[in-house]
Coordinates of all heavy atoms in Angstrom, one line a residue:
S1 N -12.1 0.7 -4.4 CA -11.2 -0.4 -4.0 C -12.0 -1.7 -3.4 O -11.6 -2.8 -3.7 CB -10.2 0.1 -3.0 OG -9.2 -1.0 -2.7
H2 N -12.9 -1.4 -2.5 CA -13.6 -2.6 -1.7 C -14.4 -3.4 -2.7 O -14.8 -4.4 -2.3 CB -14.4 -2.1 -0.5 CG -15.6 -1.3 -0.9 ND1 -16.8 -2.0 -1.3 CD2 -15.8 0.0 -0.9 CE1 -17.6 -1.0 -1.5 NE2 -17.1 0.1 -1.3
H3 N -14.7 -2.9 -3.9 CA -15.5 -3.7 -4.8 C -14.7 -5.0 -5.3 O -15.3 -5.9 -5.8 CB -15.8 -2.9 -6.1 CG -16.8 -1.9 -5.8 ND1 -17.2 -1.0 -6.9 CD2 -17.6 -1.5 -4.8 CE1 -18.1 -0.2 -6.4 NE2 -18.4 -0.5 -5.1
A4 N -13.4 -5.1 -5.0 CA -12.7 -6.2 -5.4 C -12.4 -7.2 -4.3 O -11.7 -8.2 -4.5 CB -11.3 -5.8 -5.9
D5 N -13.1 -7.0 -3.1 CA -12.8 -7.8 -1.9 C -13.0 -9.3 -2.2 O -12.2 -10.2 -1.9 CB -13.6 -7.4 -0.7 CG -13.1 -6.0 -0.2 OD1 -12.1 -5.6 -0.6 OD2 -13.8 -5.4 0.6
L6 N -14.2 -9.7 -2.7 CA -14.5 -11.0 -2.9 C -13.7 -11.7 -4.1 O -13.4 -12.8 -4.0 CB -16.1 -11.2 -3.3 CG -17.0 -10.9 -2.1 CD1 -18.4 -11.1 -2.6 CD2 -16.7 -11.9 -1.0
L7 N -13.4 -10.9 -5.0 CA -12.5 -11.3 -6.1 C -11.1 -11.7 -5.6 O -10.6 -12.7 -5.9 CB -12.5 -10.4 -7.2 CG -11.5 -10.6 -8.4 CD1 -12.0 -11.9 -9.1 CD2 -11.4 -9.5 -9.4
E8 N -10.6 -10.9 -4.7 CA -9.3 -11.2 -4.2 C -9.3 -12.5 -3.4 O -8.3 -13.3 -3.5 CB -8.9 -10.0 -3.2 CG -8.6 -8.8 -3.9 CD -8.0 -7.6 -3.0 OE1 -7.0 -7.9 -2.3 OE2 -8.6 -6.6 -3.0
L9 N -10.4 -12.8 -2.7 CA -10.5 -14.1 -2.0 C -10.5 -15.2 -3.1 O -9.8 -16.2 -2.8 CB -11.7 -14.2 -1.2 CG -11.8 -13.2 0.1 CD1 -13.2 -13.3 0.7 CD2 -10.7 -13.6 1.1
E10 N -11.2 -15.1 -4.2 CA -11.3 -16.1 -5.2 C -9.9 -16.3 -5.8 O -9.5 -17.4 -6.2 CB -12.4 -15.8 -6.1 CG -12.7 -16.9 -7.2 CD -13.2 -18.2 -6.7 OE1 -13.6 -18.2 -5.4 OE2 -13.3 -19.1 -7.4
L11 N -9.2 -15.1 -6.1 CA -8.0 -15.3 -6.8 C -7.0 -16.0 -5.9 O -6.2 -16.8 -6.4 CB -7.5 -13.8 -7.1 CG -8.1 -13.0 -8.2 CD1 -7.7 -11.6 -8.3 CD2 -7.9 -13.7 -9.6
S12 N -7.0 -15.8 -4.7 CA -6.1 -16.4 -3.7 C -6.4 -17.9 -3.6 O -5.5 -18.7 -3.6 CB -6.2 -15.8 -2.3 OG -5.8 -14.4 -2.3
R13 N -7.7 -18.2 -3.6 CA -8.1 -19.7 -3.5 C -7.6 -20.4 -4.7 O -7.3 -21.6 -4.7 CB -9.7 -19.8 -3.5 CG -10.2 -21.1 -3.1 CD -11.7 -21.2 -3.1 NE -12.3 -21.0 -4.3 CZ -12.5 -21.9 -5.3 NH1 -12.0 -23.1 -5.0 NH2 -13.0 -21.6 -6.4
R14 N -7.6 -19.7 -5.9 CA -7.2 -20.4 -7.2 C -5.7 -20.2 -7.5 O -5.3 -20.6 -8.6 CB -8.1 -19.8 -8.3 CG -9.6 -20.0 -8.2 CD -10.1 -20.1 -9.6 NE -11.6 -20.0 -9.6 CZ -12.4 -20.1 -10.6 NH1 -11.8 -20.4 -11.9 NH2 -13.7 -20.0 -10.6
N15 N -5.1 -19.6 -6.6 CA -3.6 -19.4 -6.8 C -3.2 -18.6 -8.0 O -2.3 -18.9 -8.7 CB -2.9 -20.8 -6.8 CG -1.4 -20.7 -6.7 OD1 -0.9 -19.8 -6.0 ND2 -0.7 -21.6 -7.3
I16 N -4.0 -17.5 -8.2 CA -3.8 -16.6 -9.2 C -3.1 -15.4 -8.6 O -3.7 -14.7 -7.9 CB -5.0 -16.2 -10.0 CG1 -5.8 -17.4 -10.6 CG2 -4.7 -15.1 -11.1 CD1 -7.1 -17.0 -11.2
P17 N -1.8 -15.1 -8.9 CA -1.2 -14.0 -8.3 C -1.7 -12.6 -8.8 O -2.0 -12.6 -10.0 CB 0.3 -14.1 -8.6 CG 0.3 -15.0 -9.9 CD -0.9 -15.9 -9.8
Y18 N -1.7 -11.6 -8.1 CA -2.2 -10.4 -8.5 C -1.5 -9.2 -7.7 O -0.9 -9.4 -6.7 CB -3.7 -10.2 -8.3 CG -4.1 -10.2 -6.9 CD1 -4.2 -9.1 -6.2 CD2 -4.5 -11.4 -6.3 CE1 -4.6 -9.1 -4.9 CE2 -4.9 -11.5 -5.0 CZ -5.0 -10.3 -4.2 OH -5.4 -10.2 -3.0
V19 N -1.5 -8.0 -8.4 CA -1.0 -6.8 -7.8 C -2.1 -5.8 -7.9 O -2.7 -5.6 -8.9 CB 0.3 -6.2 -8.5 CG1 0.6 -4.9 -8.1 CG2 1.4 -7.2 -8.3
K20 N -2.4 -5.2 -6.8 CA -3.5 -4.2 -6.7 C -2.9 -2.8 -6.6 O -2.1 -2.5 -5.7 CB -4.4 -4.5 -5.4 CG -5.7 -3.7 -5.5 CD -6.5 -4.2 -4.2 CE -7.8 -3.4 -4.2 NZ -8.7 -3.9 -3.1
Y21 N -3.3 -1.9 -7.5 CA -2.8 -0.5 -7.4 C -3.4 0.2 -6.2 O -4.7 0.1 -6.0 CB -3.2 0.2 -8.7 CG -2.5 -0.1 -9.9 CD1 -3.0 -0.1 -11.2 CD2 -1.1 -0.4 -9.8 CE1 -2.3 -0.4 -12.3 CE2 -0.3 -0.6 -11.0 CZ -0.9 -0.7 -12.2 OH -0.2 -1.0 -13.3
G22 N -2.7 1.0 -5.5 CA -3.0 1.7 -4.3 C -2.1 1.4 -3.2 O -1.0 0.8 -3.3
G23 N -2.6 1.7 -2.0 CA -1.9 1.5 -0.8 C -1.1 2.7 -0.3 O -1.3 3.8 -0.9
L24 N -0.4 2.6 0.8 CA 0.3 3.6 1.3 C 1.4 4.2 0.6 O 2.2 3.4 0.0 CB 0.9 3.2 2.7 CG 1.3 4.3 3.7 CD1 0.0 5.1 4.1 CD2 1.9 3.6 5.0
K25 N 1.5 5.5 0.3 CA 2.7 6.0 -0.4 C 3.9 6.2 0.4 O 3.8 6.2 1.7 CB 2.3 7.4 -1.0 CG 1.2 7.3 -2.1 CD 0.9 8.7 -2.6 CE 0.0 8.6 -3.8 NZ -1.4 8.0 -3.6
F26 N 5.0 6.3 -0.2 CA 6.3 6.2 0.5 C 6.3 7.3 1.7 O 6.6 7.0 2.8 CB 7.4 6.5 -0.5 CG 8.8 6.3 0.0 CD1 9.4 5.1 0.1 CD2 9.6 7.4 0.5 CE1 10.6 4.9 0.6 CE2 10.8 7.3 0.9 CZ 11.4 5.9 1.0
L27 N 6.0 8.5 1.3 CA 6.1 9.6 2.3 C 5.0 9.5 3.3 O 5.1 10.3 4.3 CB 6.0 11.0 1.6 CG 7.2 11.4 0.9 CD1 7.2 12.9 0.4 CD2 8.5 11.3 1.9
E28 N 4.1 8.7 3.2 CA 3.0 8.5 4.2 C 3.4 7.5 5.3 O 2.8 7.4 6.3 CB 1.7 8.1 3.6 CG 1.0 9.1 2.7 CD -0.2 8.6 1.9 OE1 -0.4 7.4 2.0 OE2 -0.8 9.4 1.2
A29 N 4.5 6.7 5.0 CA 5.0 5.8 6.0 C 5.6 6.4 7.1 O 6.4 7.4 7.0 CB 5.9 4.8 5.3
A30 N 5.3 6.0 8.4 CA 5.7 6.7 9.6 C 7.2 6.9 9.7 O 7.7 8.0 10.1 CB 5.2 6.0 10.8
H31 N 8.0 5.9 9.5 CA 9.4 5.9 9.6 C 10.0 6.9 8.5 O 11.0 7.5 8.9 CB 10.1 4.5 9.5 CG 9.7 3.8 8.1 ND1 8.4 3.4 7.9 CD2 10.4 3.4 7.1 CE1 8.4 2.8 6.7 NE2 9.5 2.8 6.2
V32 N 9.5 6.9 7.3 CA 10.0 7.9 6.4 C 9.6 9.3 6.7 O 10.6 10.2 6.7 CB 9.4 7.6 4.9 CG1 9.9 8.6 3.9 CG2 9.8 6.2 4.5
K33 N 8.5 9.5 7.3 CA 8.1 10.8 7.7 C 9.0 11.3 8.8 O 9.3 12.5 9.0 CB 6.7 10.9 8.1 CG 5.7 10.8 7.0 CD 4.2 11.0 7.4 CE 4.0 12.4 7.8 NZ 4.1 13.4 6.7
D34 N 9.4 10.5 9.7 CA 10.3 10.7 10.9 C 11.6 11.2 10.4 O 12.1 12.3 10.8 CB 10.6 9.5 11.8 CG 9.3 9.0 12.5 OD1 8.4 9.9 12.6 OD2 9.4 8.0 13.1
L35 N 12.2 10.5 9.3 CA 13.6 11.0 8.9 C 13.5 12.3 8.1 O 14.3 13.2 8.3 CB 14.2 9.9 8.1 CG 15.7 10.2 7.9 CD1 16.6 8.9 8.2 CD2 16.1 10.7 6.6
V36 N 12.4 12.4 7.3 CA 12.2 13.7 6.7 C 12.0 14.8 7.6 O 12.5 16.0 7.4 CB 11.0 13.5 5.7 CG1 10.6 14.9 5.1 CG2 11.3 12.5 4.5
A37 N 11.2 14.6 8.7 CA 11.1 15.6 9.7 C 12.4 16.0 10.3 O 12.6 17.2 10.6 CB 10.1 15.1 10.8
L38 N 13.3 15.2 10.5 CA 14.6 15.5 11.0 C 15.3 16.5 10.0 O 16.0 17.5 10.4 CB 15.5 14.3 11.2 CG 15.1 13.4 12.4 CD1 15.7 12.0 12.3 CD2 15.5 14.1 13.7
L39 N 15.3 16.1 8.8 CA 15.9 17.0 7.8 C 15.2 18.4 7.7 O 15.9 19.4 7.5 CB 15.7 16.4 6.3 CG 16.7 15.2 6.1 CD1 16.3 14.5 4.8 CD2 18.1 15.6 6.0
R40 N 13.9 18.4 8.0 CA 13.2 19.7 8.0 C 13.6 20.6 9.1 O 13.6 21.8 9.0 CB 11.7 19.4 7.9 CG 11.2 19.0 6.6 CD 9.8 18.5 6.6 NE 8.9 19.3 7.4 CZ 7.7 19.0 7.8 NH1 7.2 17.8 7.5 NH2 6.9 19.7 8.6
L41 N 13.9 19.9 10.2 CA 14.4 20.7 11.4 C 15.7 21.5 11.0 O 15.8 22.7 11.5 CB 14.7 19.8 12.6 CG 13.5 19.2 13.2 CD1 13.9 18.3 14.4 CD2 12.5 20.3 13.7
L42 N 16.5 20.9 10.3 CA 17.8 21.6 9.9 C 17.5 22.6 8.8 O 18.2 23.7 8.7 CB 18.8 20.6 9.3 CG 19.3 19.6 10.3 CD1 20.1 18.4 9.6 CD2 20.1 20.3 11.4
D43 N 16.6 22.4 8.0 CA 16.2 23.4 7.0 C 15.4 24.6 7.5 O 15.5 25.7 7.0 CB 15.4 22.7 5.8 CG 15.7 23.2 4.5 OD1 17.0 23.3 4.2 OD2 14.9 23.5 3.7

């Protein structure tokens, strides 16, 4: 992923929009894990 760091800066400078695959998955987000934990308590 970090191999694209400089390219991302250049894309932003030239106003070229982009989407980068990766990032935090839904269930890894703290607030989602909190609510799922509540459901797990009942289960």
Side-chain angles (χ1 to χ4, degrees):
S1 184
H2 70 81
H3 286 177
D5 288 350
L6 289 180
L7 175 64
E8 290 185 59
L9 293 175
E10 184 68 8
L11 290 170
S12 298
R13 188 181 70 80
R14 298 207 195 187
N15 194 28
I16 302 175
Y18 64 89
V19 171
K20 189 175 183 179
Y21 285 145
L24 196 62
K25 292 183 173 60
F26 189 83
L27 283 187
E28 294 172 353
H31 55 292
V32 177
K33 290 186 71 66
D34 287 348
L35 198 133
V36 171
L38 289 165
L39 288 170
R40 282 170 42 193
L41 290 181
L42 295 171
D43 220 43

